[in-house]
Amino acid sequence: MPKTFYLTTAIDYTNGPPHLGHAYEKVLADVIARYHRLKSDAVFFLTGVDQHGQKVQRSAEKVGIAPQQFVDELTTKFTGLWKKLEIEYDGWAATTEPLHKHCVQGMLQRLYEEGQIYKDKQEGYYSIRQEQFLTEKERGPDGEFGPEWGEVEHRVEENYYFRLAQHKDWLLGYLKNHPNCVTPAFRQIELINAVEKLTGDLCISRPKSRLSWGIELPFDREYVNYVWFDALTNYISFIGYDPSKKEFADQPDEFQEKWPALHIIGKDILVPAHGIYWPIMLHALGFPDDQMPSFLVHGWWNVSGAKMSKSLGNVIDPAALTDKYGAEALRYYLVETMILGQDSDFSEEQLVARYNAALANSIGNLLSRTLTMIWKYRGGKIGRIKDDDERLTACRKMIGMEIIGYLEACDGGKNEYASLPAHSVESAAHHTLMASWHANQLIEKTQPYKLAKNEDEAELLDAVLYTLAECLRIIAILLSSILPKAAHGIFDQLNWKMELSGKEERFSLDEAEWGRLPDGHVVGKPTPLFPRIESGLQNQATDSPAR
Ligand code: MSP
């Protein structure tokens, strides 16, 4: 069965509108998905919304509408933003869909019948405001529960539990034998440390009297499922998992060809949800070790070193940023600025500065200068030069770390780009910018406007113009996973592959090979690709590829 590269992001809570963190995760996944499509891998990218739960129920009550209406309205904010940001997903997981509900109930029923789920009594202190049982950890230094918990009462409640602790040794062994399960590696170490401390089972229900906005337990209609078997299972329910089949080999083909997934998640939900509960749930459901998912764990966007939060009033709205600066500016900033796995501080000044430096000054300028010169000196037509032509050597000599040698040595940037360190999107951005920087250097060093004045230099001028156009064609391919719209813009202006205009197949890494533009090719007229943002926000960022 041919394997599809299957990637997912965490599904987003629909108890508030999307913020910058949500946008980052989606852009990151979209770039990775597009990068794989560029390499001609079959890709399936699933994302969606987490619509059940106490918080949603409470927020809907507050505004006096039904929870379904509440989540439907918020869901359109997410889908609208993904469209604006050109996020191209293949599947949409909304957890109130009947298909998901049936799948969740099927899994719960089977695990209950197999003795993996049991009923037990819970007794202890309960916070009415936060609607949860408290443990000794929640007591302050004075031995009391703090004011954040509101009124606290002693309670006895029966609930259903999943036998988590029974699988602790299996998970430890699995993680130790699969060191690449979590990227970056330090997160895997964190996870192993957390598993070592694991005690107790997982409460998976709430009595309906307390929470009604959830999926009913199939074996006890007085209860609804609480969080985990609803939220995490979307990753399999929406790609065709059949809960009635325990053997993985008996699962439908459409499911098997996609699974296992790469889950792209933030650092806050690795431990315990994705790193402990999820693999143990899958193991209990009968998934073999070679069918466990892997995790790409990104850091958080902060503002002036602080966490974004409603109470601090510093939540960054990605839709407003997109309206102000455009999707390309935001996508580029998010991808280029955050080093995968680490936290980053959001700065609007930096967003504008990087857009102007990397996109307007470097790539945009390269395109308009190149096309203008081709029209001015050669009536829009470029001449293909032979690979062993001495004029190429002359070009090479003229620039220190030469663009031609650079692109040729890595097969038009293809090999280097294809073997980037795991999911390192910021190096993809950097790599592309490097190519543009070298091409701009070629213009600085050869000064085509001087060459044009001297008949003896006509052939060298041809070589320079061809080189620049070819660089732009390759840059568009490399850029297409990060900035799809701009990549189309470059191809359009180069007048290249016009029959595929607007289609993703227009870009293929196989074509990032030196010398594909034919002799006599006529380019299009230049139009500004990345108009400069003149907002008075710019700082001293340079157009060098160094960060
Ligand atoms: N609904 C749960 C996930 C269930 S997955 C089975 C959830 N939702 S969330 O809306 O709170 O977060 C969605 C994703 O956004 C998570 O991966 C989370 O880490 C990420 N981010 C939330 N805030 C973030 C930042 N400030 N910065 C970057 N990503 C952040 O968790």
Side-chain angles (χ1 to χ4, degrees):
M1 209 173 307
K3 271 282 168 195
T4 296
F5 179 77
Y6 174 40
L7 80 163
T8 71
T9 63
I11 48 175
D12 302 308
Y13 281 132
T14 47
N15 60 338
H19 55 61
L20 191 75
H22 294 134
Y24 170 68
E25 191 169 286
K26 239 49 81 182
V27 170
L28 174 64
D30 186 62
V31 173
I32 294 174
R34 285 177 188 271
Y35 171 67
H36 281 273
R37 292 188 199 117
L38 193 62
K39 293 208 290 177
S40 305
D41 298 336
V43 174
F44 193 86
F45 169 18
L46 179 79
T47 190
V49 275
D50 194 358
Q51 298 178 310
H52 285 128
Q54 196 82 60
K55 284 192 179 147
V56 171
Q57 184 176 312
R58 233 191 278 158
S59 308
E61 273 161 15
K62 252 191 221 160
V63 288
I65 56 173
Q68 187 68 58
Q69 187 189 343
F70 181 83
V71 296
D72 285 347
E73 283 171 14
L74 270 171
T75 297
T76 60
K77 292 218 158 55
F78 283 90
T79 49
L81 177 64
W82 304 151
K83 196 159 176 228
K84 245 182 214 218
L85 282 174
E86 295 174 64
I87 310 293
E88 207 163 273
Y89 44 86
D90 304 292
W92 181 251
T95 54
T96 50
E97 293 235 351
L99 163 144
H100 178 65
K101 185 176 147 191
H102 292 138
C103 192
V104 169
Q105 291 182 327
M107 291 181 231
L108 290 170
Q109 183 67 37
R110 178 148 68 76
L111 291 175
Y112 180 68
E113 284 163 12
E114 289 170 359
Q116 287 292 324
I117 291 174
Y118 61 93
K119 195 173 191 183
D120 203 2
K121 208 177 263 173
Q122 191 174 15
E123 183 170 355
Y125 290 95
Y126 183 82
S127 153
I128 295 177
R129 184 200 283 174
Q130 300 296 343
E131 306 203 38
Q132 70 176 79
F133 277 96
L134 304 176
T135 65
E136 290 308 305
K137 274 191 289 179
E138 270 91 45
R139 288 188 193 273
D142 57 356
E144 299 296 320
F145 295 112
E148 70 275 22
W149 301 109
E151 189 187 340
V152 173
E153 64 174 28
H154 189 264
R155 251 198 206 189
V156 181
E157 187 171 285
E158 279 196 305
N159 265 310
Y160 286 88
Y161 290 83
F162 169 56
R163 293 194 189 283
L164 198 69
Q166 185 184 312
H167 304 286
K168 172 178 171 174
D169 290 344
W170 165 78
L171 182 55
L172 269 181
Y174 174 80
L175 289 171
K176 286 181 181 163
N177 288 328
H178 296 83
N180 298 325
C181 176
V182 185
T183 305
F186 74 91
R187 295 274 178 218
Q188 175 131 352
I189 297 168
E190 263 175 35
L191 173 60
I192 291 175
N193 291 339
V195 181
E196 271 161 357
K197 292 193 199 98
L198 175 69
T199 53
D201 288 338
L202 179 66
C203 182
I204 57 145
S205 70
R206 289 289 183 270
K208 265 195 189 162
S209 54
R210 276 218 278 138
L211 172 68
S212 55
W213 186 237
I215 298 176
E216 246 176 25
L217 297 190
F219 42 82
D220 190 339
R221 304 282 171 189
E222 292 308 308
Y223 287 83
V224 295
N225 170 78
Y226 175 69
V227 185
W228 311 115
F229 273 92
D230 180 348
L232 292 159
T233 50
N234 86 86
Y235 300 137
I236 55 177
S237 67
F238 284 93
I239 55 160
Y241 179 71
D242 179 350
S244 69
K245 310 254 170 21
K246 173 140 190 162
E247 288 304 317
F248 187 84
D250 295 336
Q251 285 297 324
D253 286 354
E254 64 152 321
F255 175 74
Q256 286 195 48
E257 77 201 17
K258 295 188 189 79
W259 191 260
L262 168 73
H263 296 308
I264 300 179
I265 56 170
K267 62 178 186 177
D268 55 318
I269 56 172
L270 176 68
V271 176
H274 284 78
I276 300 181
Y277 302 162
W278 184 224
I280 290 184
M281 283 159 67
L282 291 168
H283 178 65
L285 283 165
F287 282 63
D289 285 9
D290 63 358
Q291 294 299 337
M292 286 295 143
S294 46
F295 304 94
L296 177 62
V297 184
H298 62 78
W300 268 38
W301 282 95
N302 297 323
V303 178
S304 308
K307 207 173 144 171
M308 275 190 280
S309 81
K310 267 191 225 160
S311 52
L312 287 175
N314 64 353
V315 177
I316 305 291
D317 175 5
L321 280 175
T322 311
D323 290 342
K324 194 164 169 191
Y325 300 117
E328 306 277 273
L330 184 58
R331 283 178 70 105
Y332 189 80
Y333 171 74
L334 291 174
V335 166
E336 193 214 31
T337 312
M338 190 177 250
I339 298 170
L340 236 169
Q342 296 179 19
D343 287 353
S344 212
D345 223 41
F346 174 76
S347 143
E348 196 166 332
E349 286 84 352
Q350 204 193 357
L351 183 155
V352 171
R354 288 309 299 155
Y355 170 91
N356 280 338
L359 302 184
N361 289 0
S362 189
I363 300 177
N365 209 12
L366 175 67
L367 180 68
S368 66
R369 288 208 282 178
T370 300
L371 297 185
T372 305
M373 291 190 296
I374 295 174
W375 278 102
K376 190 163 173 197
Y377 306 134
R378 293 293 180 262
K381 202 185 270 187
I382 47 172
R384 170 89 167 86
I385 30 172
K386 288 202 196 87
D387 294 341
D388 58 357
D389 196 301
E390 61 188 23
R391 285 162 299 171
L392 271 179
T393 323
C395 276
R396 273 192 197 116
K397 278 196 188 133
M398 251 170 272
I399 44 177
M401 190 187 160
E402 60 289 270
I403 177 66
I404 306 165
Y406 175 74
L407 286 170
E408 274 181 347
C410 56
D411 209 357
K414 187 172 78 178
N415 294 343
E416 205 169 311
Y417 195 82
S419 58
L420 286 173
H423 321 304
S424 171
V425 290
E426 76 272 12
S427 14
H430 186 67
H431 191 80
T432 311
L433 197 57
M434 271 302 263
S436 162
W437 185 78
H438 282 297
N440 274 314
Q441 284 294 301
L442 182 65
I443 301 178
E444 300 312 317
K445 301 255 166 110
T446 56
Q447 307 203 331
Y449 54 93
K450 281 196 185 153
L451 299 181
K453 288 186 189 141
N454 185 348
E455 262 308 302
D456 295 344
E457 303 283 25
E459 292 187 336
L460 181 57
L461 180 60
D462 281 337
V464 170
L465 295 178
Y466 183 85
T467 302
L468 294 172
E470 204 32 22
C471 280
L472 278 160
R473 188 186 64 81
I474 292 172
I475 284 168
I477 297 172
L478 303 187
L479 197 63
S480 65
S481 49
I482 304 171
L483 304 180
K485 204 165 128 215
H488 280 294
I490 298 175
F491 263 29
D492 288 350
Q493 294 197 37
L494 283 176
N495 195 23
W496 185 238
K497 295 196 115 184
M498 299 308 277
E499 76 285 3
L500 289 175
S501 194
K503 296 196 184 129
E504 242 183 289
E505 309 85 89
R506 206 177 184 194
F507 306 105
S508 152
L509 205 50
D510 278 344
E511 291 183 9
E513 228 169 34
W514 189 257
R516 293 268 177 135
L517 283 175
D519 188 37
H521 179 75
V522 177
V523 297
K525 293 273 178 168
T527 48
L529 185 67
F530 299 115
R532 273 185 73 84
I533 302 173
E534 307 291 352
S535 65
L537 280 169
Q538 292 94 304
N539 63 16
Q540 262 65 67
T542 69
D543 68 350
S544 89
R547 254 192 295 233

